[in-house]
Amino acid sequence: MNEIKIFAPATIANISCGFDVLGCCLDTIGDEMVIRKISKKGIHISKIEGENLPFETEKNVAGVAALSLINALYKKLDFGFEIEIYKNIKPGSGIGSSAASAAGAVFAINELLSKPFSKLQLVKFAQEGERIACGSPIADNVAPAIFGGFTLVKNDNPLQVIELPSLDNLLATIIHPQIEIKTADSRAILPKEVTLKNAVKQWANVGSLVHALHTSDFDLLSDSLHDFIVEPHRSKLIPEFDKVKKNSIKAGALGCGISGSGPSIFSFSKGVRVAENVAYTINEIYKKTNIDFNIYISKINTEGVKIIHLQ
Ligand code: HSE
């Protein structure tokens, strides 16, 4: 196997109540990457389409994640890898753009090396890409990108990722307003301390959300999608957030919140008809603004990074 083409999925981190710990993987939004073995040692970014990103390996999220993987190999390689990146997910969108690149690179190289590493180890390598993109090695986007479905990052050091079940017929409607919010900036505005009252409400919701996924309980899922800690601060950075949330729920969504560090907003719905109603409602709100935007509807991707071809 010398070459692999993959789909590197977008992801929703936090899922309202689970700041920095919960995430889920999307299906219809993502990048493509081609990675091939070459005789020149090391990691070389040979092509980037769709976005203006650095070609220097040490400055590129995919490059850094890939380097961290090959540096961890017991036996040093006498060949290298070339990476082509076809970006569809805009950096600073809140749907895991850097995570897709990092997760895609390490997944693909692991396949070409006949899988020496576990998924958990791949998350660790991909976290190194997140370190340069977000300022800290957050795993809540790279974990669902690699494992698929819903994930809970139980612990950072040592890394523990718990795979959670997904619900059939659960759809996400995502609006991506075309404004960039850097993760580091949207973290900087968060309070350093939270009240005990809010913390209690928040962890009760994380627990009930996990239970809802295990018991396929859409009502409980809906009743768990609240964020008392982060959303009140970050929502101010996102035009029309309150209106989008209120009207999505009115249109039948189970819940609505900020995707990752924003500006994207996600709504969960049961069934495609509701998800489309929600998309229509959000479109009506945003078309009255002067902000460009994209709206997507996606199933939950339970597979994570997908192989398009392997040769
Ligand atoms: N949990 C992160 C945040 C998202 O909300 O800042 C990026 O991983």
Side-chain angles (χ1 to χ4, degrees), residues 12-14 18-22 94 96 98-99 130 134 136-142 182-184 186-187 190 230 234 258-262:
I12 302 171
N14 302 338
F19 179 69
D20 277 2
V21 298
L22 285 172
S98 54
E130 288 292 67
C134 324
S136 47
I138 317 166
D140 57 354
N141 284 109
V142 285
K182 290 203 165 70
T183 299
S186 85
R187 293 178 84 76
L190 298 179
V230 175
R234 284 185 170 169
I258 302 169
S259 178
S261 53

Side-chain angles (χ1 to χ4, degrees), residues 31 45 48-56 59-61 85 87 89-91 97-98 101:
D31 299 337
I45 315 284
I48 303 174
E49 284 184 6
E51 290 297 330
N52 196 3
L53 294 168
F55 277 84
E56 298 96 307
K59 291 189 183 155
N60 183 290
V61 167
I85 305 170
K87 288 297 291 175
I89 319 170
K90 269 197 177 319
S97 177
S98 54
S101 296

Side-chain angles (χ1 to χ4, degrees), residues 3-286:
E3 182 183 293
I4 184 168
K5 184 175 186 186
I6 51 138
F7 170 75
T11 42
I12 302 171
N14 302 338
I15 315 188
S16 293
C17 52
F19 179 69
D20 277 2
V21 298
L22 285 172
C24 71
C25 189
L26 297 172
D27 211 26
T28 47
I29 321 165
D31 299 337
E32 288 185 356
M33 298 170 85
V34 175
I35 287 129
R36 63 179 73 86
K37 278 190 204 169
I38 51 169
S39 53
K40 193 174 170 192
K41 288 185 189 175
I43 302 292
H44 310 276
I45 315 284
S46 57
K47 199 175 192 183
I48 303 174
E49 284 184 6
E51 290 297 330
N52 196 3
L53 294 168
F55 277 84
E56 298 96 307
T57 304
E58 290 79 9
K59 291 189 183 155
N60 183 290
V61 167
V64 169
L67 276 180
S68 131
L69 183 153
I70 61 166
N71 289 339
L73 285 166
Y74 173 66
K75 194 164 161 269
K76 294 298 159 226
L77 301 174
D78 57 2
F79 55 88
F81 296 95
E82 172 178 275
I83 303 180
E84 297 176 2
I85 305 170
Y86 301 91
K87 288 297 291 175
N88 289 314
I89 319 170
K90 269 197 177 319
S93 57
I95 44 174
S97 177
S98 54
S101 296
V106 296
F107 173 92
I109 292 177
N110 196 46
E111 290 291 321
L112 292 177
L113 294 173
S114 305
K115 300 195 200 171
F117 295 111
S118 68
K119 285 188 174 179
L120 190 68
Q121 286 172 308
L122 295 184
V123 173
K124 278 207 83 78
F125 301 136
Q127 278 180 278
E128 292 309 312
E130 288 292 67
R131 191 192 296 278
I132 65 155
C134 324
S136 47
I138 317 166
D140 57 354
N141 284 109
V142 285
I146 288 172
F147 281 95
F150 282 80
T151 52
L152 173 82
V153 181
K154 157 86 172 68
N155 195 37
D156 196 35
N157 194 12
L159 180 67
Q160 280 176 275
V161 175
I162 298 176
E163 289 181 79
L164 301 169
S166 183
L167 300 187
D168 284 346
N169 219 11
L170 180 65
L171 285 119
T173 304
I174 312 263
I175 172 160
H176 172 212
Q178 305 278 315
I179 50 170
E180 185 180 355
I181 298 183
K182 290 203 165 70
T183 299
D185 296 339
S186 85
R187 293 178 84 76
I189 62 160
L190 298 179
K192 297 282 167 282
E193 286 168 7
V194 300
T195 63
L196 185 59
K197 193 172 149 217
N198 280 343
V200 169
K201 290 197 274 187
Q202 197 86 357
W203 61 56
N205 279 322
V206 175
S208 61
L209 189 146
V210 169
H211 187 69
L213 294 175
H214 276 285
T215 54
S216 301
D217 187 336
F218 280 93
D219 293 335
L220 186 63
L221 176 66
S222 170
D223 198 26
S224 310
L225 292 169
H226 303 290
D227 176 1
F228 298 96
I229 292 175
V230 175
E231 189 180 288
H233 301 278
R234 284 185 170 169
S235 58
K236 295 174 192 142
L237 305 176
I238 305 171
E240 305 292 6
F241 176 81
D242 292 339
K243 212 169 179 181
V244 166
K245 181 169 177 166
K246 197 171 132 219
N247 286 283
S248 292
I249 291 167
K250 226 187 208 172
L254 301 163
C256 174
I258 302 169
S259 178
S261 53
S264 290
I265 304 170
F266 78 95
S267 302
F268 278 156
S269 300
K270 184 178 182 181
V272 74
R273 262 210 13 232
V274 182
E276 281 170 358
N277 273 346
V278 171
Y280 175 81
T281 303
I282 300 173
N283 185 65
E284 289 299 299
I285 296 169
Y286 251 81

